[in-house]
């Protein structure tokens, strides 16, 4: 069974940091496109960071550039999102996703062709 399990969310003060993790099971995602999305209440889901399988290049939503870092550890079959300098606008449910193609497009933080999704982890930013 293919599965993604996201974790690491929580309550953080503005300016704080979090590291989200997304563990894959049932498959090895080392060569696939991977990404993180978020959805805040009343808003549409948006891609915030993605990593192409083909060349390892990364791409970010403009509003998170310089604060978010996507990475993965293929040996652990785990995807990460390091979030620094958290802002209240970053509060959302964050989900990881996989596009089963090394050539999946990754533009402005949006991973194209995602077909497998994790369950989401809540990030709350409040003082």
């Amino acid at each position: 069974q293919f599965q993604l399990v996201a974790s690491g969310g929580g309550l953080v003060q503005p300016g704080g940091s979090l590291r989200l993790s997304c563990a894959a099971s049932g498959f090895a995602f080392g060569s696939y496109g991977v990404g993180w999305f978020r959805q805040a209440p009343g808003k549409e889901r948006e891609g915030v960071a993605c990593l192409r399988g083909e060349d390892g290049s990364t791409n970010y939503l403009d509003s998170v550039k310089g604060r978010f870092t996507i990475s993965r550890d293929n040996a652990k079959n785990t995807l990460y999102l390091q979030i620094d300098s958290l802002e209240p606008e970053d509060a959302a449910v964050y989900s990881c996703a996989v596009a089963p193609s090394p050539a999946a497009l990754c533009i402005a933080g949006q991973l194209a062709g995602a077909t497998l999704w994790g369950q989401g982890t809540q990030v709350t930013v409040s003082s």
Side-chain angles (χ1 to χ4, degrees):
Q1 182 178 359
F2 302 154
Q3 192 174 16
L4 296 172
V5 179
S7 61
L11 172 62
V12 184
Q13 292 185 343
S17 297
L18 279 176
R19 188 174 81 155
L20 307 184
S21 299
C22 175
S25 60
F27 69 103
F29 66 27
S31 62
Y32 295 156
V34 292
W36 287 94
F37 293 75
R38 69 184 180 187
Q39 187 166 21
K43 295 187 177 180
E44 292 189 357
R45 183 174 64 195
E46 62 180 355
V48 296
C50 47
L51 190 158
R52 291 194 74 204
E54 194 170 60
D55 58 9
S57 60
T58 58
N59 203 278
Y60 298 90
L61 184 67
D62 280 347
S63 62
V64 308
K65 284 181 180 177
R67 301 188 298 115
F68 287 23
T69 304
I70 187 172
S71 63
R72 67 179 170 196
D73 185 333
N74 288 345
K76 294 182 178 180
N77 221 21
T78 300
L79 177 68
Y80 301 100
L81 184 68
Q82 177 69 38
I83 306 175
D84 297 318
S85 302
L86 272 158
E87 301 173 354
E89 294 75 21
D90 296 322
V93 175
Y94 285 71
S95 301
C96 52
V98 173
S101 169
L105 293 178
C106 170
I107 300 173
Q110 183 89 13
L111 177 69
T115 57
L116 180 63
W117 295 82
Q119 86 287 6
T121 184
Q122 177 74 51
V123 172
T124 303
V125 184
S126 175
S127 54

